[in-house]
């Protein structure tokens, strides 16, 4: 529910869902291989902090990635600031105090980054501290009689800023925070090589693709200067009409371009000029003339 202008009524659940953790993605979608701090989160109709036992017994829970860098923390709080502005307006005390808190965090950026060198969970702790204060504020809002009561509520973050500046900020994250370890990639098999079902012989390893050169190419088959091989000699109809040798169509790459690959389906025709019968030379030459004529390159 969003409020504008002269609308003063507020229902109990308007802002309690706002949290610096509400705008982060699920940890399962992360593709990187580093360990990341996450939080088990329950989406329900209350605004109280849940115990680990409550979370474990819940039917619906998500594993949420929590801020692990200064920039992730600021980004989450900036999004929350926009949502707060929409929900209760920028002239209200809660919005003003939240904006002041965000501004002060930006002022002590270098100190926060330096502190994080000794505490990898620092930014999650700052977000959690802010969230606890905001949850308490949201709970009070849920029993307010009017929008005006919410507008004048005071949200005080000064203790968090003071503890950070004085170097005394040190809290323990509750049990629902834990390190997310990505699923390890499957280990390659270490046993004996695969064997055929019908015998005890190991299967042949798959041949690696590599280029082969026709060093004894038949000169009349060579590609003309400025002629495009694919435009002139490829296509469904041209493939069907290509002359055969050794039971398969003559390889066009091998005979025309002078190179092909060892994995070619027609590699039985990768033979030097001396092993191509004269009849096949004549047929293949006539086929090439037909291809050039139909493609307009004759």
């Amino acid at each position: 529910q969003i409020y504008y202008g002269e609308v003063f009524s507020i229902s109990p659940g308007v802002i309690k869902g706002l949290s610096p953790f509400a705008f982060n993605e699920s940890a399962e979608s992360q593709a990187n291989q580093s360990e990341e701090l996450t939080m088990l989160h329950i989406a329900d109709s209350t605004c109280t902090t849940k115990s680990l036992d409550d979370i474990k017994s819940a039917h619906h829970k998500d594993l949420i990635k929590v801020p692990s860098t200064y920039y992730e923390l600021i980004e989450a709080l900036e999004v929350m600031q926009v949502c707060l502005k929409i929900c209760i307006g920028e002239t209200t005390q809660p919005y003003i105090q939240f904006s002041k808190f965000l501004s002060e965090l930006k002022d002590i950026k270098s100190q926060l980054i330096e502190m994080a060198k000794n505490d990898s969970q620092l930014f999650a702790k700052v977000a959690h501290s802010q969230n606890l204060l905001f949850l308490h504020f949201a709970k009070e809002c849920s029993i307010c009689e009017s929008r005006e009561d919410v507008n004048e509520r005071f949200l005080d973050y000064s203790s968090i800023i003071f503890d950070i500046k004085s170097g005394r900020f040190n809290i323990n994250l509750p049990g629902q925070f834990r390190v997310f370890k990505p699923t390890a990639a499957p280990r390659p098999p270490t046993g004996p090589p695969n064997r055929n079902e019908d015998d005890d012989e190991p299967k042949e390893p798959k041949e690696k693709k590599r280029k082969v050169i026709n060093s004894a190419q038949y000169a009349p088959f060579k590609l003309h200067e400025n002629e495009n091989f694919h435009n002139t000699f490829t296509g469904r109809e041209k493939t069907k009409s290509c002359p055969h040798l050794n039971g398969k169509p003559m390889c066009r790459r091998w005979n025309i371009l002078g190179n092909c690959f060892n994995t070619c389906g027609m590699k039985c025709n990768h033979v030097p000029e001396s092993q191509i019968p004269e009849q096949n030379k004549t047929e293949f030459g006539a086929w090439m003339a037909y291809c050039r004529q139909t493609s307009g390159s004759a």
Side-chain angles (χ1 to χ4, degrees), residues 117-224:
K117 293 179 180 179
N118 300 316
D119 186 356
S120 62
Q121 299 180 354
L122 174 70
F123 301 111
K125 291 176 180 179
V126 174
H128 178 61
S129 298
Q130 183 278 324
N131 193 41
L132 288 179
L133 283 175
F134 195 83
L135 283 173
H136 179 70
F137 161 75
K139 186 176 181 180
E140 289 184 337
C141 287
S142 67
I143 57 176
C144 288
E145 295 182 358
S146 72
R147 170 67 183 272
E148 291 175 328
D149 292 338
V150 176
N151 291 354
E152 300 308 316
R153 295 252 169 200
F154 196 81
L155 196 54
D156 187 8
Y157 295 107
S158 59
S159 59
I160 300 177
I161 297 297
F162 177 80
D163 286 347
I164 294 174
K165 286 182 175 180
S166 62
R168 297 190 306 179
F169 182 78
N170 185 23
I171 67 169
N172 293 319
L173 291 173
Q176 62 261 42
F177 287 82
R178 72 269 309 279
V179 173
F180 168 66
K181 296 183 178 181
T183 304
R187 297 177 61 183
T190 56
N194 293 333
R195 297 183 180 273
N196 297 321
E197 294 180 0
D198 300 330
D199 53 45
D200 294 330
E201 292 299 319
K203 288 182 179 179
E204 290 294 328
K206 201 169 185 179
E207 192 173 11
K208 188 176 287 188
K209 184 177 182 178
R210 58 183 174 80
K211 203 170 191 178
V212 289
I213 304 299
N214 184 358
S215 56
Q217 186 182 6
Y218 185 46
F221 291 169
K222 289 184 179 181
L223 195 69
H224 290 175

Side-chain angles (χ1 to χ4, degrees), residues 28-59:
E28 287 86 349
S29 65
Q30 298 298 305
N32 62 45
Q33 295 301 307
S34 61
E35 295 185 350
E36 295 185 344
L37 186 67
T38 57
M39 178 186 72
L40 278 172
H41 169 73
I42 297 180
D44 66 2
S45 59
T46 67
C47 58
T48 56
T49 302
K50 295 293 182 182
S51 69
L52 185 59
D53 290 337
D54 292 334
I55 292 173
K56 285 181 177 179
S57 61
H59 293 294

Side-chain angles (χ1 to χ4, degrees), residues 42-114:
I42 297 180
D44 66 2
S45 59
T46 67
C47 58
T48 56
T49 302
K50 295 293 182 182
S51 69
L52 185 59
D53 290 337
D54 292 334
I55 292 173
K56 285 181 177 179
S57 61
H59 293 294
H60 176 73
K61 47 184 173 282
D62 299 311
L63 193 61
I64 305 296
K65 182 181 176 298
V66 304
S68 58
T69 68
Y70 169 82
Y71 299 101
E72 287 180 356
L73 171 65
I74 296 301
E75 182 182 23
L77 292 175
E78 284 179 340
V79 175
M80 183 174 169
Q81 182 187 33
V82 172
C83 295
L84 194 59
K85 177 180 178 181
I86 293 172
C87 287
I88 60 176
E90 59 186 327
T91 60
T92 60
Q93 279 298 321
Y95 177 84
I96 293 171
Q97 294 303 317
F98 183 89
S99 298
K100 180 182 177 183
F101 169 66
L102 181 56
S103 177
E104 289 178 326
L105 284 180
K106 292 179 179 179
D107 290 341
I108 56 173
K109 170 184 174 181
S110 57
Q111 184 177 350
L112 284 168
I113 293 175
E114 190 65 28

Side-chain angles (χ1 to χ4, degrees), residues 211-253:
K211 203 170 191 178
V212 289
I213 304 299
N214 184 358
S215 56
Q217 186 182 6
Y218 185 46
F221 291 169
K222 289 184 179 181
L223 195 69
H224 290 175
E225 189 176 354
N226 298 324
E227 188 173 47
N228 187 292
F229 171 77
H230 291 285
N231 290 345
T232 307
F233 300 107
T234 62
R236 181 176 297 179
E237 293 303 320
K238 293 173 183 177
T239 301
K240 280 184 175 181
S241 60
C242 185
H244 282 55
L245 176 65
N246 297 325
K248 288 196 173 184
M250 294 178 68
C251 179
R252 289 163 287 178
R253 284 189 61 94

